[in-house]
Amino acid sequence: MPVRKSRFGSVRGTIVDMMPARMGSRRAEGCMLFVTLEDMDGNTVNFIMTPATYVVDFETLSEGMVCTFWYDAEAPMPLIYPPQYNAVAAAREKMERMVNVGYYNTALVNDDQTLQLNMDNSVAVRTTNNQHFQGNPAGHNLVVVYENSTRSIPAQTTPKLVVVLCEA
């Protein structure tokens, strides 16, 4: 089976600024945030956080936090510097917690074939608004939160939480 490149890109860095985002000539009534991130190489990357952006653990993000932001690499984006992306998901860096965002096939293996999910009754499967997901998570874009994995290829894990990024 050919390895596909993940649809989602990510940037890990420190939040250096957060402010209300603008929509055209007016502010977005506080519903959107413009987040400036400084990556580990000192580069600046900007993200727009909308009400649709999933934040792991529903944590309130703030300046000074080390976070990872994921974006849809296939979505249209302005060709500007510093780069600006619409954030699909965000997670604060925490010890012993890993997060993967990507498409998982019917065997629950992600696009780049680096992680396979072993699902059992202990795994919480939710939607982005924290409701129980009623379907099968296979064949969807997922946010996977896990603590450990095997050293196999692909690595295998029984996640703590799976969040289905339902298409609008």
Side-chain angles (χ1 to χ4, degrees):
M1 177 180 292
V3 176
R4 291 178 36 194
K5 186 176 183 291
S6 176
R7 172 181 168 177
F8 298 96
S10 66
V11 178
R12 179 179 175 266
T14 302
I15 297 174
V16 294
D17 193 28
M18 295 179 82
M19 67 177 99
R22 290 190 175 272
M23 297 239 354
S25 62
R26 64 178 180 84
R27 293 203 181 266
E29 305 298 325
C31 290
M32 293 174 31
L33 286 174
F34 189 81
V35 179
T36 302
L37 202 69
E38 184 177 293
D39 73 11
M40 297 308 160
D41 296 324
N43 300 309
T44 299
V45 182
N46 294 318
F47 286 93
I48 302 291
M49 288 183 66
T50 70
T53 303
Y54 176 71
V55 180
V56 174
D57 294 337
F58 298 98
E59 186 166 11
T60 301
L61 303 180
S62 61
E63 291 178 23
M65 287 183 172
V66 176
C67 300
T68 300
F69 283 77
W70 287 267
Y71 59 93
D72 184 344
E74 296 177 1
M77 60 190 72
L79 295 174
I80 58 174
Y81 184 84
Q84 178 176 307
Y85 304 107
N86 289 322
V88 172
R92 180 181 184 188
E93 188 86 6
K94 286 189 177 178
M95 295 295 291
E96 300 180 16
R97 177 182 80 184
M98 291 169 272
V99 180
N100 180 272
V101 177
Y103 176 82
Y104 283 78
N105 65 22
T106 55
L108 289 171
V109 177
N110 65 355
D111 264 351
D112 55 7
Q113 297 183 7
T114 57
L115 190 63
Q116 180 174 8
L117 307 182
N118 297 321
M119 302 294 284
D120 63 22
N121 291 334
S122 72
V123 180
V125 182
R126 304 287 183 154
T127 60
T128 55
N129 63 0
N130 206 31
Q131 302 307 300
H132 290 284
F133 181 71
Q134 301 296 322
N136 183 346
H140 289 278
N141 294 316
L142 306 176
V143 177
V144 177
V145 180
Y146 62 105
E147 291 178 353
N148 51 44
S149 64
T150 64
R151 293 179 185 231
S152 60
I153 299 174
Q156 295 184 31
T157 188
T158 301
K160 295 289 180 196
L161 174 66
V162 172
V163 176
V164 180
L165 299 174
C166 298
E167 298 293 324

